[in-house]
Amino acid sequence: MRKAAIIIMPLIALTVWLGKPMVPYYQQSPIYLTILDADTQKPVQGAVVVARWTVSKGWFQTYNAGAFELQEALSDSEGKVLLPGFDKRWWPWFSNSFISARQPEIVVFKYKYVPERYMNSYDSQSSKPGLRDLSGNIEWKGKKTLNISALPDDPSTRFQKFMGLSRNPLPFLIPALDQGCTWTKMKHMIIEYDKQMHEGEKLGLLKGSAGPWYMPPEKTAYSGDCPGGIEWIEAQRAVEF
C-alpha cells in the first residue's frame, strides 16, 4: 500500500500541475456583431453572416474534419447581427478531434460587396498559442464591428473583380451537395453567391467552374436528401432571377 501511494501521489501532483481535468463538451455564447460599409461607415442591411465551427483532427490539428456547427443570420437596418451560439454539446476528448482556438470563423457577404472572412482570437483562451482546451466555453474575442467593401458599380468590372479575388472564402465555406444537409444552414449565403454568379452569366463572363453551388439543383443526385432545402433555393431563384 505504501509503495502504491509513493507511485500514485506524484502522478496526482503531475496531473494537477499540468492543468485541470477537462470536461468533454463545447458551448458557444451568443455573438453580437455590427456590419458597416467600409467606405461610408454606414450600417449595411441584409448582409449575410455565417459562423462556422470547424473540427480539426489529430493531436497536432493537422487536418480539417468538417463543420461542428454552422449558423447564419442577416444584418438588420442598423447593421446588427445576432448569432445565438449553442448550449453544451458533449464531445469525447478521446476522439482526437478538437475545435481550435481560432474558431469560429465568420464570413460576411452581400451581393455587390467583397466577401470578408474573420477568425476568432485565441487571446486568453488557451495556455498554448493557437490551441484551445479540449473542451469548455467558447467566446467570440474577435472584432465586433466588421467592415465590408463595395465592389465597383459597373456590372462587368464588378464580376471580374469578384472572380479575381485571391482570398474569396465563399467557395470553401459553402458545403457541396454531397456533404449531407449542412448547406441548408446557409441558404441565404447561397442565394447572395448565386446573384453574383448569375450576373456574370448574363454578361457572358461566367466560364468554367463557378464553385460548388451555382448549378440547377434538379441536376444533382442529392436533391431529395434535404427536404425544404432545394425547394427554398428554387423559390428564391425564381424571385431573384
Side-chain angles (χ1 to χ4, degrees):
M1 180 67 72
R2 188 172 182 179
K3 289 183 178 180
I6 292 174
I7 296 173
I8 292 173
M9 291 304 292
L11 290 176
I12 293 175
L14 179 61
T15 301
V16 173
W17 181 76
L18 288 174
K20 61 183 179 181
M22 289 171 287
V23 181
Y25 71 85
Y26 286 115
Q27 180 177 2
Q28 172 71 57
S29 57
I31 301 173
Y32 298 90
L33 303 168
T34 302
I35 313 302
L36 299 180
D37 183 292
D39 295 323
T40 66
Q41 287 299 291
K42 292 182 178 180
V44 177
Q45 184 175 6
V48 185
V49 180
V50 169
R52 176 187 174 109
W53 292 260
T54 300
V55 174
S56 298
K57 203 165 178 63
W59 290 113
F60 296 100
Q61 302 183 29
T62 51
Y63 64 93
N64 184 329
F68 179 82
E69 173 63 295
L70 292 165
Q71 292 185 359
E72 180 185 72
L74 299 175
S75 59
D76 63 16
S77 60
E78 297 181 343
K80 303 294 184 183
V81 174
L82 167 61
L83 296 161
F86 48 85
D87 293 329
K88 286 184 179 180
R89 296 188 185 178
W90 302 108
W91 191 258
W93 61 267
F94 50 81
S95 66
N96 198 23
S97 56
F98 320 99
I99 297 178
S100 77
R102 298 304 304 274
Q103 299 296 312
E105 63 178 304
I106 288 178
V107 174
V108 185
F109 179 58
K110 183 179 181 180
Y111 170 49
K112 298 183 179 181
Y113 279 84
V114 176
E116 296 289 350
R117 177 173 178 250
Y118 295 88
M119 302 298 294
N120 203 358
S121 170
Y122 54 73
D123 181 36
S124 301
Q125 293 195 72
S126 175
S127 59
K128 295 169 287 188
L131 302 177
R132 188 194 301 283
D133 289 341
L134 300 187
S135 60
N137 298 317
I138 305 172
E139 295 182 14
W140 176 254
K141 295 181 178 293
K143 296 179 179 179
K144 304 297 191 299
T145 299
L146 310 182
N147 293 310
I148 54 175
S149 300
L151 289 164
D153 292 332
D154 176 67
S156 178
T157 305
R158 176 168 58 237
F159 181 76
Q160 291 176 353
K161 184 168 183 178
F162 179 83
M163 294 300 287
L165 294 172
S166 60
R167 296 182 179 180
N168 188 344
L170 297 183
F172 305 99
L173 174 74
I174 301 172
L177 284 169
D178 59 355
Q179 295 179 4
C181 295
T182 54
W183 63 269
T184 61
K185 294 185 177 182
M186 57 173 64
K187 293 183 290 188
H188 291 91
M189 184 67 82
I190 290 166
I191 288 297
E192 293 301 300
Y193 183 58
D194 267 10
K195 289 178 186 177
Q196 189 62 73
M197 293 297 100
H198 187 66
E199 181 176 75
E201 184 180 54
K202 290 191 297 182
L203 293 169
L205 298 173
L206 184 59
K207 300 176 181 178
S209 173
W213 262 104
Y214 191 69
M215 63 181 79
E218 63 275 12
K219 291 186 179 180
T220 71
Y222 310 95
S223 299
D225 291 350
C226 305
I230 292 297
E231 292 84 354
W232 189 90
I233 293 290
E234 289 178 326
Q236 291 298 311
R237 282 174 170 165
V239 172
E240 298 288 347
F241 308 149

